[in-house]
Amino acid sequence: MSAAEDRSYDPRQDRPIAGLFADLARETTNLARTEIELAKAELTEKAGQAAGGAAYVVAGGLIAFAGVLVLLAAAVLALSKVVEPWLAAVIVGAVVLVIGGILAMVGKKRLSPENLQPQRTMETLRDDKRWARSQLAR
């Protein structure tokens, strides 16, 4: 065999079909393991984001509750004394409620199903599907 023939020789071409199927099974298993590891990592990241969103919801709920308490105090003041201090309590209570509502909305948005999907894993699975189809089409 000449040097040019040595470079063009591919030992995989002479392998039996059983060996090729064994390689396919091994590579498919490795691919599945890698995809599972990626999914685990991404789901761990998404769980952290969900915890952050839940913290915003809890903080928003607590602040809104404080606003309700202030508004109740304002109502008590309004009924017991019909003077200006109750108006200040209503303004403060309304501001606290607005802040609590904003925090609760931010937390709710962070908990939306779209934000919790493992996007990178889904994209690599789509890529793997396209690759497998292209390999089968050959």
Side-chain angles (χ1 to χ4, degrees), residues 29-119:
T29 302
N30 288 341
L31 178 62
R33 283 187 188 131
T34 304
E35 293 296 339
I36 289 170
E37 288 174 17
L38 177 61
K40 284 180 185 178
E42 196 165 1
L43 288 175
T44 300
E45 178 184 329
K46 296 296 181 178
Q49 289 177 354
Y56 271 102
V57 170
V58 169
L62 289 174
I63 290 174
F65 180 68
V68 169
L69 293 178
V70 170
L71 287 174
L72 289 174
V76 170
L77 287 173
L79 291 174
S80 65
K81 299 178 182 180
V82 184
V83 291
E84 293 180 23
W86 69 269
L87 184 58
V90 168
I91 292 170
V92 169
V95 168
V96 170
L97 278 175
V98 167
I99 291 170
I102 290 170
L103 287 175
M105 286 188 289
V106 167
K108 182 181 176 188
K109 186 175 181 182
R110 287 188 176 200
L111 290 175
S112 71
E114 296 84 30
N115 288 338
L116 300 178
Q117 289 180 353
Q119 297 295 334

